[in-house]
């Protein structure tokens, strides 16, 4: 999760231009490659927040964010809750 996979890396491995790869991915899945990876990282972070007591900083690092504040901002933008609020609500519900 913490590896940054570039569009160049993907296009080289699939032997297709970056623009064609972006177009085909969005045409097929309805979202950009960047958004797809972001969703995967946030979903993984959600699982970590629910199922572990790892520090939010450690979870941020595990999904590729060196800055926990940036991770929290991106998380809140996607989930409408901070990671801490998300963890707290999941503990109450479960």
């Amino acid at each position: 999760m913490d590896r940054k996979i570039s569009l160049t890396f993907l296009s080289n491995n699939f032997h297709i231009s970056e623009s064609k790869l972006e177009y085909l991915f969005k045409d097929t899945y309805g979202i950009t490659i960047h958004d797809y990876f972001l969703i995967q990282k946030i979903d993984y972070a959600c699982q970590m927040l629910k199922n572990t007591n790892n520090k939010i900083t450690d979870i941020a690092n595990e999904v590729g964010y060196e800055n926990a504040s940036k991770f929290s901002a991106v998380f809140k933008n996607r989930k409408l809750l901070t990671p801490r609020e998300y963890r707290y609500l999941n503990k109450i519900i479960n």
Side-chain angles (χ1 to χ4, degrees):
M1 274 295 158
D2 63 344
R3 281 187 43 207
K4 294 193 185 231
I5 300 174
S6 71
L7 195 55
T8 302
F9 173 80
L10 291 173
S11 68
N12 288 340
N13 278 294
F14 290 109
H15 308 289
I16 189 170
S17 73
E18 290 179 25
S19 59
K20 185 71 169 178
L21 178 61
E22 286 181 300
Y23 170 78
L24 290 173
F25 192 93
K26 185 162 186 177
D27 189 51
T28 302
Y29 298 104
I31 59 173
T32 65
I33 292 172
H34 172 75
D35 284 344
Y36 173 81
F37 283 123
L38 182 62
I39 289 166
Q40 296 305 309
K41 287 180 178 204
I42 297 301
D43 285 350
Y44 182 75
C46 286
Q47 292 305 312
M48 296 294 291
L49 290 164
K50 285 183 200 177
N51 300 319
T52 73
N53 290 321
N54 295 3
K55 294 178 184 175
I56 292 171
T57 306
D58 294 337
I59 293 171
N61 289 333
E62 196 165 333
V63 295
Y65 288 88
E66 293 176 15
N67 183 320
S69 298
K70 177 70 173 165
F71 166 70
S72 291
V74 170
F75 191 96
K76 185 170 184 172
N77 188 317
R78 301 298 287 184
K79 295 294 184 181
L80 306 178
L81 298 168
T82 66
R84 179 168 278 120
E85 292 166 338
Y86 185 88
R87 175 176 268 166
Y88 177 75
L89 287 174
N90 274 284
K91 292 204 186 283
I92 291 174
I93 293 170
N94 296 321

